[in-house]
Amino acid sequence: MIFLSFMNLFRNYRRTLAILLTVALGTGVLFSFKGFINGVLSQYRESTIHALYGHGQINEKGYRETVYTKPWEHWMSNWENIRDFLISQESVVQVFPRVNFPALLRHENVTISGSGQGTDAKEEAGFFYELNIASGKSLTEEANGIILGIGLAKAINVEVGETLTVLVNSIDGRINQAELVVTGIFHTGSVDFDSHIFRIQLTKAQELLNTSNVELIALGLRHYTDWDSFAQTFEKHFQNLEATSFAVLDKIYYQHSVDWLNAQFRVIQLIILSIVLLGIFNSVSGAILERKQEIGNFRANGESVSDVMRLITIEGAFLGLLGSCIGVGLTYAVLKLFLEDQILLPPGPGMTKPFYISFYFDWAMVYTSIGLSTLAAIGASILAGIKVAKMPIAEALRSY
């Protein structure tokens, strides 16, 4: 039965070629669009991880969902011990203790509010490479250095090398201030982030806040897929703390983008598969109608309707499998040959910076694209063949 189904593909070369091209085109479009979506999501993910949050962060349990009048009372005092544990974990590559705090920035006659981040700047400089430095350089070992978002720098009218004053309300209610030198101005593309955030050394921030505690610990892992297993291990060891991934921390920008693009892909996928199914149905219907006498002979020789349908279904499976493999192979070759370099896209919603994306493929996409197209071909073959297979034998034999 399988051999006969395969040989039937060569009965009408033109019709078989038309079906294969229909399947190949649909599969290729499906495969390339999924690669594009994955490329966009990969760029979003890299930007979120390597500009803002790392792969995730550690806080006291419930800290992020609760508004405290004195949040510093819920900061981590034993953070060095936590850091030592984190470093001992195989999946953890880097550890970044931080504090966040509101502040006033004053330069000449301008005073504006901003959101400060005290960071281990030397440790973070290499990991947070998506924090694009528009001018100057990233903060590293400068004890009295500060870097600002480009929007914040424009608002206060400060440039690299100039000095500004940072005024902070410490945890004991006193106003502390520091004269800091602008070492760099960064540009992440996020309007909100670039208009409010500045970063200084963690030790300087702790001095201004009059505390030795840290609010959170951001993490750099070997790979973002390691997060779930790491978080489970960590929360078993530190039951009063919680580990939150970057996707949750940046739900509005990253996770909502993932959900929206995946929903969009499902709609496009349904449309493409419908076109493939209808195209195959049209071609297969013509082929089967031409074979009424042959099917009548099968039935007259004792073959059942189910035997005929099995033959037609296997033919459809061969067409779908061969066509989808051709489509995936050709699409991958064309994209690698002509679109290997990254593609420049305009800024996304809420962004000010264009970004480059590449098509990103994995084996799961290959299997899914081939599987869906093959199923569509099988479905079209069954729909086209069932009417002829059930035709009375005498009527089928009289067909021309």
Side-chain angles (χ1 to χ4, degrees):
M1 182 73 72
I2 294 177
F3 178 75
L4 181 61
S5 298
F6 181 75
M7 294 306 297
N8 280 338
L9 302 182
F10 301 95
R11 294 168 56 113
N12 189 321
Y13 292 100
R14 291 183 179 180
R15 193 178 300 281
T16 298
L17 181 60
I19 296 173
L20 289 176
L21 289 177
T22 301
V23 177
L25 180 61
T27 307
V29 172
L30 198 65
F31 183 67
S32 60
F33 187 68
K34 181 60 175 175
F36 174 78
I37 294 293
N38 283 356
V40 172
L41 294 181
S42 177
Q43 179 60 40
Y44 275 20
R45 182 172 60 247
E46 288 298 300
S47 178
T48 301
I49 291 172
H50 292 286
L52 306 179
Y53 300 105
H55 289 97
Q57 70 183 40
I58 307 298
N59 293 100
E60 181 184 278
K61 186 163 290 185
Y63 180 82
R64 294 184 310 101
E65 294 83 12
T66 307
V67 178
Y68 296 104
T69 56
K70 296 180 179 179
W72 51 85
E73 293 181 352
H74 301 271
W75 291 1
M76 291 172 279
S77 58
N78 61 333
W79 65 273
E80 291 92 346
N81 296 331
I82 300 170
R83 179 186 58 189
D84 293 340
F85 173 83
L86 293 170
I87 292 173
S88 70
Q89 300 302 298
E90 184 180 355
S91 58
V92 178
V93 178
Q94 289 177 280
V95 177
F96 312 111
R98 290 180 171 184
V99 294
N100 295 311
F101 57 95
L104 292 176
L105 286 78
R106 185 171 64 214
H107 177 245
E108 296 178 346
N109 297 324
V110 180
T111 301
I112 62 173
S113 62
S115 297
Q117 295 181 342
T119 67
D120 186 348
K122 184 178 179 181
E123 186 74 12
E124 292 199 8
F127 184 85
F128 290 94
Y129 53 79
E130 288 284 348
L131 194 71
N132 305 288
I133 302 299
S135 60
K137 67 183 189 68
S138 184
L139 186 64
T140 52
E141 297 180 339
E142 297 81 5
N144 292 314
I146 181 173
I147 58 174
L148 306 91
I150 191 168
L152 185 60
K154 287 180 179 179
I156 200 172
N157 193 27
V158 69
E159 296 182 358
V160 173
E162 295 184 333
T163 300
L164 56 77
T165 303
V166 176
L167 296 95
V168 178
N169 193 11
S170 69
I171 64 174
D172 52 10
R174 291 184 295 180
I175 301 295
N176 292 331
Q177 68 178 47
E179 301 293 323
L180 303 177
V181 179
V182 178
T183 64
I185 297 172
F186 61 80
H187 180 208
T188 66
S190 171
V191 176
D192 186 63
F193 191 85
D194 294 342
S195 299
H196 295 92
I197 301 298
F198 66 90
R199 288 180 175 176
I200 64 176
Q201 296 287 0
L202 175 63
T203 52
K204 178 61 69 174
Q206 290 174 322
E207 178 186 326
L208 290 169
L209 291 164
N210 194 25
T211 183
S212 59
N213 299 345
V214 299
E215 180 181 10
L216 61 95
I217 299 176
L219 300 173
L221 304 185
R222 291 179 308 172
H223 195 267
Y224 75 94
T225 55
D226 293 331
W227 181 264
D228 289 339
S229 60
F230 158 77
Q232 187 176 14
T233 301
F234 177 82
E235 291 181 354
K236 284 183 180 178
H237 196 86
F238 295 94
Q239 297 185 4
N240 64 319
L241 302 176
E242 64 181 356
T244 309
S245 74
F246 72 93
V248 177
L249 295 170
D250 198 17
K251 187 173 183 178
I252 299 299
Y253 172 64
Y254 176 74
Q255 192 58 54
H256 284 182
S257 296
V258 171
D259 296 340
W260 186 83
L261 287 171
N262 283 335
Q264 182 188 52
F265 175 71
R266 285 191 290 271
V267 173
I268 298 298
Q269 180 176 267
L270 180 62
I271 294 172
I272 293 172
L273 289 175
S274 298
I275 294 172
V276 170
L277 190 146
L278 291 173
I280 297 172
F281 177 78
N282 181 59
S283 299
V284 172
S285 293
I288 291 175
L289 288 174
E290 292 176 357
R291 295 164 57 189
K292 285 183 180 180
Q293 280 190 334
E294 175 189 328
I295 293 172
N297 285 326
F298 270 115
R299 296 289 311 284
N301 289 330
E303 304 293 341
S304 65
V305 173
S306 61
D307 291 330
V308 175
M309 288 304 302
R310 190 179 303 114
L311 179 70
I312 293 172
T313 301
I314 294 173
E315 288 181 25
F318 275 127
L319 289 168
L321 187 60
L322 290 173
S324 57
C325 287
I326 292 170
V328 168
L330 287 177
T331 300
Y332 184 80
V334 169
L335 292 176
K336 282 295 181 182
L337 185 62
F338 297 104
L339 293 175
E340 177 65 17
D341 296 333
Q342 293 182 324
I343 301 172
L344 180 63
L345 293 183
M351 304 296 291
T352 60
K353 183 185 71 172
F355 60 98
Y356 290 87
I357 67 104
S358 298
F359 287 85
Y360 177 80
F361 304 103
D362 55 40
W363 283 107
M365 293 169 51
V366 175
Y367 301 142
T368 301
S369 299
I370 292 176
L372 290 174
S373 295
T374 302
L375 288 175
I378 291 172
S381 298
I382 292 173
L383 290 173
I386 193 167
K387 182 177 180 180
V388 175
K390 289 184 175 182
M391 184 181 293
I393 296 174
E395 182 180 345
L397 290 173
R398 289 196 301 269
S399 300
Y400 291 96

